[in-house]
Amino acid sequence: MMVKKRGNNGDLMKERLHPFQLSILIYTIQNGLVLYSLPRYTAEYFGTNGWISIVFIFVLVNINILMIAFIYKLGKGRSIFEIIDKTVPKWIMVPFYLFIICVWIGTASMIMRLYIFIFKMMFFPALPVSLFIFFFILLSFQMLRGGLYKMTKAIVVLCAIVQPMLFLLFYLVPEFEFARFTTFFFKGGTDFFKGALHVYTAFLGIEVSILFFPMVEKKWTKALFIGNLLTTVGYILVTAICYGFFSFNQILNDLIPVMTLFEYTEVSFLSRAENLCFSVFAFKILSIIVIYFWGAQQFLGNMMKKMKPNVWIFIILACAFLFAMLPDSIVDVEKWLSWLSYCAIGIAWALPLFVLCILFIQILKKLIDRETDHAK
Amino acid sequence: MGRLRAKFKKIFLQKDTDFVKVPNNQQLNRHPQASKDDTTIMEASNHEKFTEATYEKTITELGNGFDLVHRSFNQDEIQIIYLSSLVDSQTLEWEILSPLRETNFNIYDKSFQQSLYRRENNQEKVIIGILNGNVAMFIGENTFLISVSGFEERAIAQTETETVINGPHDSFNEALHTNVSLIRRRVRSPRLKMIKLSVGEISKTKVVLIYIDGIADMDIVNQLKARIQSLKVDSITDSNVLIQIIDDHQNSPFPQFYTTERPDIAVSKLYAGKVIGLVDDSPNIFCTPSTFFDFFESPDDYNQRWIIGTGVRILRYMALFITLILTAFYVSICTYHYEMIPQSLLQSIMQSRSRVPFPPIVEAIFLEIVIELLREAGARLPTKIGQTIGIVGGIVIGQAAVQAGITSNILIIVVAVSAIASFIVPSYIMSSSIRIIRFLFIVMAGFMGNIGIFFALGILTIHLTGLTNLSSPYFMPISPTFVKDWMESIVRGPYYKIKKGQPAMQNDGEKERK
């Protein structure tokens, strides 16, 4: 193991990510803000016992991850930029890359803005929004400066700080009643397709893992599945307890059911724990937006190789700041966020499919070449 | 304008400071011609470079110092020069002066075969020898250096900053010789290897790197050696100065090399596979590679039963948490989040805060500054006055401040608890860093309440996980995560869990690469 010689700056990631770190990374970067409204979405769109829909969406997400793992295996660990650049000339891909970059930066900014809105609404009616945005951007800058490896190390520790939140749920068990689940499945829901899309946005974030290829050890794909499984378990736990705690109509009428859930937890030396929970959730939001920024940075870096990677960080963060200042109310943000999330879901499916097609074309070409060589 | 841009780039775009680039041929060769392959040219140029050592030249170079002694014997045939403040007068008398006065000078060839006598012809080296406590003897054409150094040194005493209740009480002192002997007698193995280096153009301070062959990682030894050899400074006064100069991250408030004054800690680090460095004139030794959790260990943990040792360690981490967050939490609750105070406590807090004219952040910062003033003054006061001022400051001022209505009762308790908690950290340098970071938390809490505290915690975490010590991650074994190492560093596992010959740094794949 060569210890590197100093003075070798730049983005050369010779460090490999370990599967354990990766699974925690995936768990943390999957969109968590939807968690706070997830019971309401499932109740609205799916009806009674809507939390079971999470399991179905989990299966869909797994198919998506399978595609990514397949690409890794077929492409033998090459980065997707290499694969695409071999077949498709760059100038064709540039508008698509720009689209992906805009969608990802937009999603990250909107998630940040929504979080800040909820926070302001509940706890700080008077503080200026730009202060919050500034601190989020500052923390993202500090994380992006170090590259993916340092980011992962920081995210592992931040996740460890966020996790104890789940233990507060045990305080609710005395009030939990199975009867509130009702014996009907999926009755009273409205739109299954839209609901499925909304619940799918709870699992977004995993599509950025397609860019991890040059930086991971072999046999890392199981980390994706483990991370996704952890997320699903967490979601199901919280949603199920929510369904057992509130009645069906109560969930429909509450904007952020999970917050109300935490309001009821009472610890002897602390009254309103939901304040702390939501504040510590900022770390999860930070991880989500940072990974989207990092993904956008990778795309930008691939498009224009001559600029230094650090310059991109400034540009991306400046765009995010401006973008996050745009919306004025929660309705605006939610509208933007839903549109951007639909685009992101589209990207999550289209990009792996596209790369798979190219890989097939390349393999076919190689086979044909070998045949013709044989013939010669 | 160009300078401003360069500064901006340096702060924001560089990940850490550029270290002095180590040249590829890193011999301590002062002669530039020596890099050529031709050895005859090298010898010839060596001859040209150094001058023959003579008595006259030495006297002129050293001048007429207060402690410079020059004697001559046998009608000016034999001349000796030495610095009386550096030689041991008894050895001098016994070994040199008496024989010179008495013996027949024709048989002095045999006495020069002794190991104390060393023939030296290079003028520069003769001067260095005299400055190291040798006696220079000029006989005819030849010059000899005789080693009779005897420096005055402080006796081995108990350390004042790292006390242990149950364990050895000796500590290092300023003489390199004594420190090396304290280590040698604890590691009686031929595998203990030492590398001698010299730092500082004028001070020529000796630095010794010690490691156990077979356990330590040679990469680290070589990297440390290369870094120290590439230093270009006039002098270093203490080992703390040296480690700050060779740090990876010089702008971080946290110490990256672990330092200690105790030989038992030094030797346990050696057995764990680390490299320790001793600096002449400094009782502190540094060891590398170190992690954040090394600073929270104390020999007391290991000398007690493992359950108690684990309990005390957990107490220390809780104390770290308390000292960072408690005052900030008080500020944020009293300013923004009144609803979080339990109802039973509400009345007393209301009563104490109602008399205070300032917002909570102002009184918190005021009290924290008073505590810092007390602490710093207590460190500088002469011992005779120290006790009185401690009582006056601590009790009287606190009580008077509350009665005058400047601060509230609860805040005094909070600040006092957090100050006490900050002293639980065994390493003084780390606890100073933590005390300064506390102010950041208080300020952020004052501006943004609870989320401010978490933002500050986020900044701190991201900073800590990004630090490295000689390319080894600072926050190991939490991140990167090695659960097997948690037995050693986070909690104190029982001795039957630690196998023989298991080095602490068994994680080969985790060298930092950028």
Side-chain angles (χ1 to χ4, degrees):
Chain A
M1 303 290 148
M2 286 299 284
V3 178
K4 80 160 185 73
K5 292 208 178 11
R6 296 191 56 86
N8 193 3
N9 264 340
D11 232 20
L12 302 170
M13 294 286 175
K14 297 213 194 67
E15 193 63 69
R16 304 260 147 180
L17 288 176
H18 196 254
F20 178 70
Q21 284 175 318
L22 264 176
S23 33
I24 303 237
L25 177 70
I26 301 287
Y27 169 61
T28 320
I29 67 180
Q30 288 203 289
N31 190 336
L33 194 54
V34 188
L35 170 66
Y36 269 79
S37 326
L38 197 59
R40 177 172 60 90
Y41 282 135
T42 48
E44 242 179 70
Y45 291 114
F46 289 101
T48 52
N49 278 321
W51 55 277
I52 301 183
S53 59
I54 300 180
V55 183
F56 294 125
I57 309 291
F58 165 67
V59 172
L60 271 179
V61 177
N62 269 347
I63 299 178
N64 199 350
I65 303 177
L66 264 173
M67 283 204 297
I68 299 181
F70 207 42
I71 295 178
Y72 182 73
K73 220 160 146 216
L74 272 187
K76 297 199 199 340
R78 287 178 290 160
S79 104
I80 63 163
F81 296 126
E82 276 177 42
I83 300 177
I84 296 183
D85 283 342
K86 238 174 131 186
T87 317
V88 183
K90 222 179 232 196
W91 56 269
I92 298 187
M93 294 303 298
V94 164
F96 291 115
Y97 285 169
L98 279 175
F99 174 67
I100 296 181
I101 291 172
C102 289
V103 165
W104 278 357
I105 298 184
T107 321
S109 309
M110 285 303 123
I111 292 179
M112 177 169 59
R113 193 73 165 98
L114 183 62
Y115 176 81
I116 294 175
F117 257 131
I118 299 179
F119 207 84
K120 252 178 75 84
M121 185 173 81
M122 304 222 62
F123 307 117
F124 288 119
L127 275 186
V129 176
S130 41
L131 195 63
F132 289 103
I133 303 185
F134 170 70
F135 274 107
F136 267 115
I137 300 282
L138 181 72
L139 283 174
S140 323
F141 174 69
Q142 205 186 355
M143 279 183 108
L144 283 172
R145 242 168 49 125
L148 185 68
Y149 189 59
K150 286 205 172 148
M151 227 157 59
T152 320
K153 284 199 292 187
I155 286 182
V156 168
V157 182
L158 292 178
C159 172
I161 300 180
V162 175
Q163 277 321 99
M165 204 176 93
L166 277 180
F167 291 114
L168 277 180
L169 289 173
F170 288 122
Y171 279 96
L172 299 168
V173 169
E175 297 272 327
F176 182 82
E177 266 186 57
F178 273 109
R180 295 203 182 104
F181 276 150
T182 75
T183 47
F184 300 103
F185 283 95
F186 293 166
K187 289 276 187 291
T190 44
D191 195 348
F192 276 22
F193 181 62
K194 233 172 148 201
L197 280 181
H198 261 277
V199 177
Y200 197 96
T201 62
F203 290 92
L204 275 182
I206 206 158
E207 66 266 19
V208 187
S209 63
I210 209 172
L211 298 168
F212 288 169
F213 290 172
M215 297 152 202
V216 288
E217 291 181 6
K218 294 204 167 118
K219 298 193 198 287
W220 67 287
T221 42
K222 62 177 184 232
L224 285 174
F225 293 105
I226 297 179
N228 197 26
L229 184 68
L230 285 174
T231 319
T232 318
V233 164
Y235 284 167
I236 292 184
L237 203 63
V238 172
T239 342
I241 291 191
C242 206
Y243 270 84
F245 197 78
F246 298 120
S247 79
F248 183 63
N249 278 323
Q250 256 184 316
I251 297 184
L252 279 181
N253 288 327
D254 200 346
L255 190 64
I256 316 171
V258 179
M259 186 87 90
T260 326
L261 200 68
F262 282 124
E263 278 175 21
Y264 279 98
T265 55
E266 251 188 51
V267 188
S268 46
F269 50 86
L270 214 59
S271 293
R272 301 284 235 130
E274 94 271 11
N275 194 329
L276 276 182
C277 286
F278 205 59
S279 307
V280 95
F281 210 67
F283 287 154
K284 199 147 197 280
I285 304 288
L286 179 69
S287 320
I288 299 169
I289 65 179
V290 147
I291 206 76
Y292 274 125
F293 289 152
W294 179 81
Q297 185 196 359
Q298 297 297 105
F299 270 105
L300 273 177
N302 183 59
M303 281 198 327
M304 288 176 230
K305 293 214 174 32
K306 31 189 171 57
M307 288 188 127
K308 275 202 288 196
N310 287 326
V311 180
W312 291 126
I313 299 180
F314 281 124
I315 299 181
I316 293 177
L317 290 178
C319 290
F321 190 88
L322 292 170
F323 207 46
M325 298 278 277
L326 279 180
D328 273 330
S329 66
I330 286 202
V331 181
D332 262 348
V333 177
E334 291 209 335
K335 205 169 50 154
W336 281 86
L337 190 56
S338 49
W339 273 112
L340 283 167
S341 308
Y342 296 157
C343 295
I345 297 178
I347 295 175
W349 284 87
L351 190 59
L353 273 172
F354 180 60
V355 178
L356 269 175
C357 291
I358 295 190
L359 266 177
F360 278 137
I361 296 178
Q362 282 179 0
I363 291 181
L364 277 175
K365 246 204 255 176
K366 229 194 295 181
L367 276 176
I368 295 179
D369 281 340
R370 228 187 299 164
E371 289 298 324
T372 46
D373 275 344
H374 257 286
K376 285 197 198 131
Chain B
M1 196 61 201
R3 233 187 305 163
L4 195 64
R5 236 181 74 187
K7 236 192 203 176
F8 180 74
K9 265 194 190 169
K10 194 161 175 240
I11 297 176
F12 285 106
L13 293 184
Q14 279 189 1
K15 292 185 186 131
D16 43 344
T17 57
D18 273 336
F19 195 74
V20 174
K21 285 209 172 50
V22 176
N24 270 334
N25 46 339
Q26 32 181 324
Q27 317 301 322
L28 255 183
N29 216 327
R30 294 172 197 265
H31 306 292
Q33 287 91 326
S35 52
K36 292 205 188 117
D37 289 6
D38 201 344
T39 46
T40 47
I41 300 181
M42 185 170 78
E43 278 175 11
S45 60
N46 266 352
H47 273 285
E48 282 169 24
K49 281 290 174 176
F50 76 71
T51 47
E52 287 286 326
T54 62
Y55 178 70
E56 288 80 21
K57 280 200 208 116
T58 318
I59 285 280
T60 22
E61 192 159 343
L62 284 177
N64 211 5
F66 170 71
D67 49 353
L68 185 68
V69 174
H70 43 103
R71 296 256 194 92
S72 57
F73 297 90
N74 201 23
Q75 283 96 36
D76 280 358
E77 249 184 54
I78 303 181
Q79 323 254 15
I80 59 172
I81 299 181
Y82 63 92
L83 290 170
S84 64
S85 55
L86 292 180
V87 301
D88 182 14
S89 44
Q90 262 194 330
T91 322
L92 180 72
E93 184 64 39
W94 182 252
E95 295 280 346
I96 301 175
L97 295 182
S98 310
L100 279 180
R101 272 189 231 118
E102 290 158 17
T103 54
N104 191 354
F105 290 112
N106 290 327
I107 57 170
Y108 55 61
D109 282 320
K110 232 189 258 176
S111 50
F112 293 160
Q113 308 279 340
Q114 286 179 46
S115 59
L116 275 181
Y117 288 61
R118 199 169 43 125
R119 188 198 216 99
E120 186 58 65
N121 282 326
N122 187 347
Q123 172 71 4
E124 222 177 275
K125 296 225 173 99
V126 168
I127 300 277
I128 294 178
I130 296 180
L131 288 169
N132 271 335
N134 295 328
V135 169
M137 183 189 291
F138 299 91
I139 297 184
E141 294 273 311
N142 303 322
T143 319
F144 291 95
L145 280 179
I146 310 155
S147 158
V148 283
S149 50
F151 306 131
E152 300 288 334
E153 63 187 49
R154 186 171 59 104
I156 296 182
Q158 199 177 15
T159 166
E160 287 178 22
T161 45
E162 293 175 47
T163 42
V164 149
I165 301 175
N166 213 351
H169 293 293
D170 54 353
S171 83
F172 290 123
N173 69 0
E174 288 78 11
L176 190 60
H177 210 68
T178 319
N179 297 345
V180 171
S181 82
L182 281 173
I183 293 184
R184 266 277 182 216
R185 69 172 99 153
R186 285 174 157 92
V187 184
R188 292 174 211 227
S189 160
R191 286 162 66 183
L192 185 73
K193 302 279 188 255
M194 307 195 186
I195 303 180
K196 208 165 57 162
L197 305 166
S198 160
V199 180
E201 315 259 321
I202 301 183
S203 67
K204 304 230 193 309
T205 315
K206 299 203 198 85
V207 173
V208 173
L209 301 178
I210 304 185
Y211 62 96
I212 296 187
D213 196 13
I215 306 182
D217 189 357
M218 288 312 294
D219 275 340
I220 303 214
V221 175
N222 293 330
Q223 201 185 10
L224 187 60
K225 183 167 144 192
R227 256 195 221 189
I228 296 184
Q229 280 175 336
S230 70
L231 280 185
K232 293 197 186 337
V233 283
D234 270 345
S235 72
I236 52 166
T237 43
D238 190 56
S239 57
N240 288 315
V241 173
L242 177 67
I243 61 179
Q244 282 180 58
I245 301 179
I246 60 177
D247 254 344
D248 281 356
H249 304 266
Q250 306 204 353
N251 292 322
S252 162
F254 289 95
Q256 283 135 58
F257 284 89
Y258 180 70
T259 58
T260 176
E261 266 185 7
R262 302 180 54 94
D264 50 343
I265 298 185
V267 165
S268 65
K269 299 281 179 206
L270 276 177
Y271 288 129
K274 310 205 181 178
V275 180
I276 65 175
L278 280 71
V279 176
D280 200 7
D281 311 318
S282 170
N284 286 313
I285 63 143
F286 63 91
C287 102
T288 174
S290 35
T291 67
F292 180 72
F293 303 99
D294 283 345
F295 293 89
F296 290 85
E297 290 178 0
S298 156
D300 259 335
D301 302 343
Y302 289 94
N303 295 337
Q304 293 173 342
R305 317 281 304 161
W306 72 270
I307 298 184
I308 303 178
T310 306
V312 173
R313 280 242 178 115
I314 295 182
L315 185 70
R316 280 202 203 112
Y317 293 123
M318 265 171 44
L320 169 69
F321 190 67
I322 290 176
T323 185
L324 281 176
I325 294 192
L326 194 62
T327 316
F329 201 48
Y330 172 85
V331 167
S332 94
I333 288 190
C334 285
T335 319
Y336 296 103
H337 304 290
Y338 295 110
E339 71 267 14
M340 288 183 74
I341 307 176
Q343 223 166 0
S344 38
L345 205 52
L346 197 55
Q347 205 177 20
S348 50
I349 291 191
M350 239 170 40
Q351 265 181 347
S352 52
R353 269 215 50 82
S354 59
R355 307 177 47 207
V356 181
F358 308 118
I361 181 170
V362 171
E363 45 164 342
I365 294 209
F366 168 67
L367 262 186
E368 288 280 349
I369 291 185
V370 166
I371 295 254
E372 287 295 309
L373 287 173
L374 273 173
R375 182 193 55 81
E376 187 65 24
R380 311 280 157 234
L381 280 176
T383 20
K384 295 206 169 84
I385 319 182
Q387 293 268 24
T388 328
I389 300 285
I391 297 179
V392 168
I395 301 179
V396 174
I397 291 185
Q399 191 59 30
V402 170
Q403 283 193 331
I406 304 182
T407 61
S408 60
N409 265 328
I410 303 222
L411 183 62
I412 294 213
I413 299 177
V414 162
V415 167
V417 166
S418 109
I420 293 177
S422 77
F423 286 109
I424 290 192
V425 181
S427 160
Y428 177 71
I429 300 185
M430 178 59 92
S431 68
S432 314
S433 313
I434 295 177
R435 270 196 286 278
I436 297 294
I437 299 289
R438 213 185 334 157
F439 281 98
L440 172 74
F441 276 79
I442 298 178
V443 167
M444 291 288 281
F447 278 117
M448 296 209 303
N450 273 341
I451 192 134
I453 299 181
F454 285 111
F455 276 143
L457 190 63
I459 294 178
L460 182 70
T461 313
I462 299 173
H463 177 77
L464 275 178
T465 50
L467 289 177
T468 58
N469 173 238
L470 228 62
S471 307
S472 123
Y474 195 62
F475 222 60
M476 186 140 79
I478 290 278
S479 151
T481 318
F482 294 104
V483 188
K484 295 197 200 99
D485 285 340
W486 287 10
M487 273 291 159
E488 260 297 305
S489 42
I490 311 291
V491 294
R492 205 223 99 179
Y495 280 116
Y496 56 80
K497 284 262 184 199
I498 305 173
K499 304 186 192 31
K500 173 199 179 297
Q502 182 183 343
M505 297 290 128
Q506 55 184 344
N507 320 304
D508 298 322
E510 285 313 323
K511 287 279 156 56
E512 277 289 302
R513 277 165 277 182
K514 293 199 180 79

